[in-house]
Amino acid sequence: MSVNRSKARHRRRRTAVAAGVPLALGAAGVMAYGTAFGVFGEDASPKASAATVANASAAAPAWAADVADGFASVDAKGQKGTYGGRDGRTVTVKTLADLEKYATAEEPYVIVVAATIDMNPVGKEIKVKSDKTIVGRGTSGQIVGGGFFLGTGVHNVIIRNLTIRDSYQGVWNDKDHDFDAVQMDGAHHVWIDHNDLRHMADGLIDVRKDSTNVTVSWNRLSDNNKTFGIGWTENVLTDITIHHNWIRETEQRNPSTDNAAHAHLYNNYLEDVAGTAVKSSYGNYSRGRTKMVLENSYFQGMNNPVTKDATAAVVQRGNTFSGTSGRNESGGTAFDPKSFYGYTLDRTADVPALLKAGTGPRTSIGTANAVSTASTRAATLTVAKDGSGQYRTVQAAVDAVPANNPSRVVIQVKPGTYRETVKVPSNKPHVTIQGTGGSRKDTVIVFNNASGTPKPGGGTYGTGGSATVAVEADDFQARNLSINNDFDEGRNQSLNGHQAVALRTAADKVFLDGIITDGDQDTLLLDTAAKDKLGRVYVTNSYISGNVDFVFGRATAVIDQSVITLKKRWDGSSAGYIVAPSTTADRKGILINRTVVNGDVSAGSFFLGRNWHAGGDAALRPQATVRNSTLSAAIKSTPWSDMGGFSWKNDRFAEYKNTGPGSGAASGNRPQLTDAQAGGQEVADWLGTWNPTA
């Protein structure tokens, strides 16, 4: 199929790295959604259709139990929340015929889109029926040249993890082609989550004609004239939640909200990118008799960022406006969203980095508000401080895992602060520790040992021994929780040894997905079981904070699509180093990829890293590569430093295509990879044959 892309103002530069997917996974075509039968299950009995059908009771992917938040979660119109097709069969589709067959069926389905599907004719919108989950497999699920239509009375529909793109017909403000990514006319209970919607002929999302109980979350909306329209009715019935969406390079309807009874917008990032042909006309627009609550959103460079009609209401709280101009309005009375549902606001200052790292399709389904569980075949242990679980401490649950367990054990930890140290010994592989709260902040494992802290039996803990959580078992995973070390340097100045590790890994195939790990010096120790042992670690969708050498060790480690936050020292000064690899000469070290580096510290005060020759070992060849990442002004113009008398220039340090005020051109003090060299320093080169999966 050929799509007319001739209009010059609508062409956009694309990065070579697909958003939301580790290259190792994308290249191998492997999904990160665990099920009892591997990928998405196999046919119980062969069928002529190209779609793979799995019996839901045996092989439904665990994420199919995810439910919406916001207004889509509210019981109304005879529907109790939004859960899509979880009660039906799971099918995997790769053709338009199969996608349309199952999406338009009367019975419930979980429909996994595992290929790029071209719409024929261009502009086709599949008429989705009720009780459906349509979800992309990793980033392979793409709908090109059309989208989905949800008509009157259609309800309980989830559209997740898809790229829907390219029905554009060459006219920027197109009045002739109503080719939307997702259009609703009178639908209710719809959840649109973690999609990449762009370059369509008309709108990206249209919520029309009294559609209600809709939640739109964690999407990237870009490269379009009309982004997101709500209304087209004289009635005042629509209830809609719009949160954690990144809207960029769009002109109007960001969104335009007409006659909505309750419109709750929070933690969105609206960005008018400087130097492009697209100029925003306006941002959030409250029209007619809309009542809008607008909280903790970030507006960057937008013209007329918030506008309202005289008859409409906008209540603003906690928003940030950077480089904006024109109308920024509020007034009237609205409503209290918490009278309808619970939610947690992220800090406004964190929103750009959070959304750049977390929006769009992901390799493993699960959001900050809808947590995926493990496969239905995995053993599960529960931890709760209040005694409602099997165990009251995380360590007690780890202790209950049988030695040399042959398959995964999921330790589900209910929300709360667990002040304890946890050790997963080497004879307990395949363990997952997973928070069950609505946010990774809800479940916290924390302690305050430091290197110089005296041990009860004599001596001190040392750096490695100070870890709040220590992982020595292969195939470990941590999800949706915080692992912190809150050692107070200021109050312990007399102590000899302030290194205080939050998380130490000394194992292979460690997958850290959607976590926070916070400390000061030596926060995250990524090690191996022994100097001659391979230890691979993949960190994604996570936050890491500290100030001195706070990502360090000899592991082969990838930090991908995450946020690294620089912190001031205990005395309020700004100075430090991010990475301190101690890589052996035959291994790869630390790769930071598609990650945001930020923090409330002074400009030019932090090094990207330094070379740690542990124990003075001259044979080591520490390696760190920082690529395709956004660096704040805190990064020094000469970002690498010597350590322990060894010159970093004799080791392996480089950057590639970083952006932001802390990035810089190639020089003798700032090595940059060539395109050819960068081709050998991808995520797949670090992880080898290992494909991290949930």
Side-chain angles (χ1 to χ4, degrees):
M1 184 198 72
S2 175
V3 177
N4 185 349
R5 301 185 62 129
S6 61
K7 190 161 183 66
R9 71 178 295 184
H10 210 55
R11 291 188 184 132
R12 294 287 167 266
R13 293 186 298 273
R14 305 289 182 208
T15 60
V17 180
V21 58
L23 296 182
L25 305 186
V30 176
M31 296 172 303
Y33 314 142
T35 75
F37 293 105
V39 178
F40 268 105
E42 299 179 5
D43 280 339
S45 58
K47 295 176 176 62
S49 170
T52 299
V53 182
N55 184 290
S57 63
W63 50 259
D66 289 354
V67 297
D69 62 356
F71 274 115
S73 71
V74 174
D75 295 352
K77 300 177 76 69
Q79 176 66 32
K80 294 184 179 297
T82 303
Y83 48 85
R86 72 177 183 193
D87 296 333
R89 292 184 298 167
T90 297
V91 297
T92 301
V93 302
K94 296 184 178 181
T95 67
L96 175 57
D98 280 327
L99 175 59
E100 189 164 21
K101 170 185 174 182
Y102 292 108
T104 60
E106 295 295 335
E107 59 266 43
Y109 278 105
V110 174
I111 305 165
V112 181
V113 182
T116 297
I117 295 177
D118 291 338
M119 290 299 197
N120 186 16
V122 174
K124 180 182 182 70
E125 293 179 2
I126 293 176
K127 293 179 173 58
V128 180
K129 292 290 184 69
S130 301
D131 304 319
K132 301 294 184 297
T133 295
I134 305 174
V135 60
R137 187 184 75 177
T139 57
S140 63
Q142 303 203 22
I143 310 299
V144 179
F148 299 102
F149 177 82
L150 283 61
T152 301
V154 170
H155 59 276
N156 192 32
V157 173
I158 296 174
I159 297 174
R160 277 184 108 185
N161 222 59
L162 291 167
T163 296
I164 307 176
R165 59 179 173 87
D166 295 332
S167 68
Y168 182 63
Q169 296 298 293
V171 177
W172 177 246
N173 192 5
D174 197 331
K175 304 291 188 181
D176 298 320
H177 300 95
D178 187 17
F179 299 167
D180 300 322
V182 180
Q183 180 172 313
M184 301 171 219
D185 280 5
H188 66 94
H189 287 89
V190 179
W191 183 26
I192 302 173
D193 177 71
H194 270 109
N195 301 288
D196 182 352
L197 310 178
R198 51 184 158 90
H199 205 241
M200 303 298 284
D202 188 50
L204 299 178
I205 302 173
D206 276 357
V207 179
R208 316 192 319 172
K209 300 181 180 179
D210 301 335
S211 294
T212 191
N213 293 99
V214 176
T215 297
V216 179
S217 57
W218 296 96
N219 301 285
R220 293 187 180 188
L221 308 172
S222 67
D223 203 6
N224 224 68
N225 179 18
K226 305 166 190 172
T227 309
F228 189 172
I230 303 163
W232 287 272
T233 178
E234 294 301 315
N235 301 317
V236 185
L237 298 174
T238 297
D239 289 346
I240 187 166
T241 305
I242 303 166
H243 72 86
H244 291 93
N245 299 282
W246 183 14
I247 301 173
R248 66 187 301 271
E249 290 191 280
T250 59
E251 186 168 325
Q252 55 181 315
R253 301 182 186 172
N254 294 306
S256 170
T257 310
D258 185 25
N259 285 333
H262 305 100
H264 184 202
L265 284 63
Y266 70 92
N267 284 146
N268 297 297
Y269 179 34
L270 278 68
E271 182 185 21
D272 187 334
V273 181
T276 69
V278 177
K279 302 298 180 186
S280 54
S281 296
Y282 58 88
N284 296 163
Y285 186 3
S286 183
R287 301 174 57 185
R289 289 174 288 167
T290 293
K291 290 187 179 297
M292 178 183 291
V293 174
L294 174 58
E295 300 182 284
N296 286 32
S297 289
Y298 199 107
F299 298 80
Q300 177 73 51
M302 296 293 293
N303 296 309
N304 304 308
V306 184
T307 62
K308 64 178 285 294
D309 287 354
T311 54
V314 177
V315 173
Q316 289 201 44
R317 291 192 287 261
N319 302 303
T320 293
F321 301 90
S322 176
T324 61
S325 60
R327 297 168 65 182
N328 184 358
E329 299 169 337
S330 59
T333 59
F335 61 98
D336 179 8
K338 289 188 176 179
S339 67
F340 294 92
Y341 53 82
Y343 66 99
T344 301
L345 292 169
D346 285 302
R347 288 197 323 147
T348 312
D350 295 338
V351 164
L354 177 67
L355 270 57
K356 287 179 180 180
T359 52
R362 307 202 66 78
T363 55
S364 58
I365 287 293
T367 70
N369 49 63
V371 181
S372 298
T373 60
S375 166
T376 54
R377 291 291 181 89
T380 301
L381 306 175
T382 58
V383 178
K385 288 173 62 67
D386 62 5
S388 61
Q390 296 167 280
Y391 306 95
R392 289 182 180 269
T393 68
V394 180
Q395 186 62 58
V398 172
D399 292 343
V401 176
N404 302 309
N405 50 297
S407 59
R408 184 152 303 280
V409 177
V410 178
I411 298 173
Q412 293 187 335
V413 187
K414 293 186 178 182
T417 298
Y418 297 80
R419 180 160 285 279
E420 59 175 300
T421 58
V422 178
K423 181 177 179 180
V424 184
S426 60
N427 66 344
K428 297 189 177 185
H430 321 302
V431 168
T432 295
I433 300 178
Q434 176 172 294
T436 65
S439 164
R440 66 196 97 193
K441 297 178 182 178
D442 291 347
T443 304
V444 181
I445 307 173
V446 61
F447 211 73
N448 61 347
N449 283 333
S451 176
T453 300
K455 295 171 68 174
T460 59
Y461 283 99
T463 299
S466 71
T468 299
V469 175
V471 176
E472 298 176 355
D474 291 346
D475 195 22
F476 172 84
Q477 300 184 6
R479 300 177 175 281
N480 195 49
L481 49 77
S482 298
I483 300 172
N484 302 333
N485 190 314
D486 62 356
F487 171 72
D488 190 331
E489 289 188 79
R491 293 184 177 182
N492 291 277
Q493 281 299 291
S494 62
L495 198 69
N496 182 20
H498 285 189
Q499 300 88 346
V501 176
L503 173 60
R504 173 175 71 91
T505 70
D508 191 30
K509 299 181 180 179
V510 174
F511 189 13
L512 309 175
D513 183 11
I515 73 165
I516 296 171
T517 181
D518 178 57
D520 287 318
Q521 183 174 354
D522 291 12
T523 302
L524 182 59
L525 171 52
L526 304 175
D527 212 345
T528 67
K531 189 174 179 179
D532 62 344
K533 297 287 188 180
L534 179 62
R536 289 165 292 180
V537 181
Y538 181 65
V539 185
T540 188
N541 187 30
S542 295
Y543 289 86
I544 305 164
S545 59
N547 48 41
V548 175
D549 302 335
F550 62 97
V551 181
F552 72 112
R554 65 184 173 215
T556 296
V558 177
I559 299 171
D560 191 23
Q561 284 195 302
S562 293
V563 178
I564 294 173
T565 299
L566 312 176
K567 296 171 60 176
K568 292 181 179 179
R569 303 295 301 278
W570 67 271
D571 59 0
S573 62
S574 295
Y577 313 82
I578 299 175
V579 300
S582 58
T583 326
T584 58
D586 60 339
R587 306 279 191 206
K588 291 189 178 295
I590 298 172
L591 172 64
I592 296 175
N593 183 55
R594 298 181 295 176
T595 286
V596 175
V597 176
N598 62 18
D600 183 18
V601 296
S602 301
S605 60
F606 270 74
F607 291 95
L608 287 176
R610 55 182 176 172
N611 55 335
W612 180 32
H613 284 254
D617 188 347
L620 296 177
R621 290 288 310 284
Q623 181 185 29
T625 298
V626 181
R627 60 175 296 166
N628 301 105
S629 294
T630 303
L631 309 181
S632 77
I635 300 302
K636 291 177 176 286
S637 59
T638 54
W640 306 107
S641 178
D642 299 339
M643 187 177 185
F646 294 92
S647 171
W648 69 266
K649 292 185 177 181
N650 295 329
D651 292 314
R652 299 174 288 169
F653 293 86
E655 297 175 77
Y656 180 68
K657 290 189 176 180
N658 293 319
T659 58
S663 61
S667 70
N669 289 315
R670 192 154 201 171
Q672 304 283 336
L673 300 176
T674 65
D675 289 345
Q677 290 170 330
Q681 295 202 30
E682 304 275 13
V683 173
D685 298 302
W686 255 251
L687 301 185
T689 59
W690 174 44
N691 296 301
T693 57

